Amino acid sequence: MSFFTDLSHQYIDGEWRVGRGSWDVIDFNPYNGEKLAAVTAATGVEVDEAYQAAARAQPGWAAAGPHARRDVLERARSALVGLREETAEAMIAELGATRAKAYYEIDLAAEFLRHAAGVAVMPDGELLPALTPGKENRVYREPAGVVTVISPFNYPLLVTLKSVAPALALGNAVLVKPNQNTPIVGGGLVARIFELAGLPAGVLNVLVTDIAEIGDDLIEHPVPKVISFSGSDRIGRHVAAVAARALKRTVLQLSGNGAFVALGDLTGAALDQAVDAAVFSRYVYQGQVCMAANRILVDRALEPAFSARFTERVAALRTGDPADPATQLGPVIDSFHAEALTALVDEALAEGATPLLHGRTVGNLVEPTILTGLSPHSPLLRQEIFGPVALLVPFDGDEEGLRLTNDTPYGLSSAVHTGDAERGVAFARRVEAGMIHVNGTTMEDDPMAAFGGVKRSGIGRLNGAASVDAFTTQRWISVQHGPATYEL
């Protein structure tokens, strides 16, 4: 199978189709500029066709029962595992991912499919005690209906499946709109693995298109009941506003400005471990991750040792062709991002920041940069930096470290390193973020643990029981056994 030939279509009601749009979404290799695929854009007509197909198919899929749904999820996982090598090659070409990053994403996506298979056969109701004698309160969990999933370019397969897999497991139908930079791995591949798994036609649909073509049709259409969006907070606020007008439920996984905090009691191997975790937290996939640590906050007592080791480790990172096994940082996703990152660094330097390391930009390859000495009022400290630029900031004591950690409008993921785990937990409990990791990285994800942010980083949670809440609705049915008394 050739991913970039066979999967470069719309997928509606179980059929691979050419879109009706008058233009093509062009899929480029971000490293060498090679044209990988052209997908004729879907129009509002295809949006309606896909939603109508989903609405027709969803009741039958829900009625198929939990064990049938579990079996499809298990076969989808097997299909993905069987395509592991081809998928990795596609990620290297389409995302500019290194092979290590590609394998990580594929293997974690497979774990999410495994977990979703279990979700399919979880209890779907409960009995609650009633105030009235002889009354029985039953609360049933039922599918929300049709779910829309709008996914990003950075982890297109994983992030898409984090919503698609549990939504399908719970009896919903789904429409996926992948990011235009990753229409194959984030869209066509998802359709193919479920096609191979025997998912009934119409239960999953994939549309490759753009807001310039369809406007807000994906959100405003009357069929979908839940919108799961992952991307920037700017677009997320628009999604939330449009959905709110129709009282649609939203799950929003948005931008981050995470802090990696090194407390003053780190010594020896623990300090080395913290440096390694900080390098990973900032520079994995070229820093193009909402959970990445934009800010590296270091207790002033540790700053000289930490800065020296951190700078040495980062300077040794190799930037280049992601297909080369020796490469650790590939290209950023496109020239717009490369130019924006270069401008951010230049602006910070002009304002007086000190470069501990100043990487070059060559095409879409952006070498790593480390800046320190920023003004406390620098806007760079309070915004998401979607690229390989680290801001190293010293602090005096845990209280100032906590204040700096929370001095941001975002609150997605942070990490704190310390020689005393309980000290770290006490610090973490006061961090304004949805996810805080003690002696780990900011890049943690687990199918069982609630994933999401606070403040501008989003609304709602995914993973585990949180996904059940996101993609089901509760129905209360009471049953009166025996006579009851009603007094007016």
Side-chain angles (χ1 to χ4, degrees):
M1 176 177 67
S2 171
F3 277 29
F4 296 107
T5 300
D6 298 346
L7 306 182
S8 58
H9 303 284
Q10 314 297 335
Y11 185 73
I12 303 172
D13 204 10
E15 297 180 352
W16 296 93
R17 305 185 190 176
V18 175
R20 292 184 176 88
S22 60
W23 57 282
D24 291 346
V25 174
I26 307 298
D27 189 14
F28 290 105
N29 180 315
Y31 173 68
N32 59 23
E34 175 190 358
K35 178 180 174 181
L36 300 172
V39 186
T40 303
T43 67
V45 174
E46 281 96 345
V47 171
D48 183 63
E49 289 175 346
Y51 276 137
Q52 296 303 334
R56 289 192 302 270
Q58 188 273 324
W61 174 240
H67 292 89
R69 296 197 296 272
R70 178 197 63 188
D71 292 347
V72 170
L73 269 294
E74 289 178 343
R75 292 196 296 269
R77 178 186 176 277
S78 296
L80 176 59
V81 171
L83 292 170
R84 185 174 187 261
E85 292 304 321
E86 296 95 323
T87 300
E89 293 296 335
M91 286 181 168
I92 291 167
E94 189 175 48
L95 282 66
T98 62
R99 190 168 297 276
K101 188 271 188 188
Y103 285 152
Y104 169 82
E105 180 173 357
I106 296 162
D107 294 345
L108 188 53
E111 286 303 309
F112 271 86
L113 286 166
R114 187 203 301 273
H115 181 264
V119 168
V121 293
M122 287 175 59
D124 60 359
E126 57 182 334
L127 293 176
L128 300 178
L131 287 171
T132 305
K135 186 177 290 293
E136 180 180 77
N137 284 328
R138 305 179 185 181
V139 179
Y140 294 91
R141 280 201 177 270
E142 300 179 351
V146 175
V147 174
T148 301
V149 178
I150 304 173
S151 59
F153 74 81
N154 54 353
Y155 281 79
L157 177 65
L158 174 62
V159 175
T160 300
L161 288 176
K162 278 164 65 76
S163 289
V164 168
L168 292 177
L170 293 162
N172 299 281
V174 179
L175 185 150
V176 173
K177 193 204 86 65
N179 187 279
Q180 294 94 307
N181 285 305
T182 51
I184 304 304
V185 172
L189 174 61
V190 176
R192 176 53 57 89
I193 63 174
F194 280 103
E195 183 181 54
L196 294 172
L199 184 70
V203 177
L204 175 67
N205 303 273
V206 174
L207 296 182
V208 179
T209 189
D210 184 82
I211 193 170
E213 180 69 45
I214 63 169
D216 290 324
D217 286 0
L218 278 178
I219 307 167
E220 292 179 330
H221 196 283
V223 165
K225 300 297 185 276
V226 181
I227 311 296
S228 180
F229 170 84
S230 297
S232 73
D233 63 304
R234 179 181 62 83
I235 299 176
R237 289 196 297 271
H238 177 76
V239 170
V242 175
R245 291 198 292 268
L247 297 180
K248 294 179 188 285
R249 187 188 310 173
T250 55
V251 182
L252 305 175
Q253 306 290 329
L254 307 179
S255 305
N257 181 24
F260 183 100
V261 185
L263 298 184
D265 62 350
L266 291 171
T267 59
L271 178 57
D272 289 333
Q273 182 68 24
V275 170
D276 288 344
V279 172
F280 182 87
S281 296
R282 174 61 270 183
Y283 293 103
V284 67
Y285 188 48
Q286 296 80 263
Q288 299 175 115
V289 190
C290 56
M291 294 184 289
N294 282 4
R295 299 166 296 145
I296 312 297
L297 308 182
V298 184
D299 190 285
R300 200 174 300 275
L302 296 178
E303 183 193 7
F306 188 102
S307 296
R309 297 182 199 188
F310 183 76
T311 303
E312 181 182 17
R313 284 277 286 107
V314 175
L317 296 175
R318 178 171 172 178
T319 303
D321 183 351
D324 184 342
T327 294
Q328 294 156 301
L329 301 181
V332 297
I333 194 65
D334 56 31
S335 59
F336 174 83
H337 283 75
E339 292 165 5
L341 288 164
T342 303
L344 279 177
V345 172
D346 289 346
E347 182 179 346
L349 293 174
E351 293 175 352
T354 300
L356 298 179
L357 185 68
H358 189 186
R360 301 168 301 161
T361 297
V362 181
N364 290 346
L365 291 176
V366 180
E367 294 177 340
T369 289
I370 305 170
L371 301 177
T372 192
L374 286 90
S375 164
H377 307 293
S378 172
L380 202 58
L381 290 168
R382 294 169 185 83
Q383 70 185 73
E384 182 175 57
I385 304 172
F386 225 56
V389 179
L391 310 178
L392 203 152
V393 181
F395 63 86
D396 294 298
D398 291 11
E399 289 302 315
E400 186 181 28
L402 181 68
R403 181 184 64 78
L404 293 175
T405 298
N406 291 334
D407 188 16
T408 172
Y410 300 101
L412 186 58
S413 182
S414 289
V416 55
H417 274 245
T418 169
D420 179 349
E422 292 309 314
R423 177 183 179 183
V425 171
F427 187 97
R429 292 290 299 270
R430 300 170 66 195
V431 172
E432 297 168 355
M435 303 173 288
I436 310 97
H437 307 289
V438 177
N439 293 341
T441 76
T442 62
M443 296 290 300
E444 310 290 337
D445 200 355
D446 189 295
M448 292 293 292
F451 184 103
V454 299
K455 299 194 280 190
R456 291 188 190 175
S457 289
I459 298 172
R461 296 292 184 269
L462 292 173
N463 301 3
S467 289
V468 178
D469 290 337
F471 302 124
T472 62
T473 186
Q474 297 183 65
R475 189 185 302 277
W476 172 33
I477 297 177
S478 71
V479 180
Q480 180 66 44
H481 298 284
T485 301
Y486 307 100
E487 295 185 8
L488 296 176

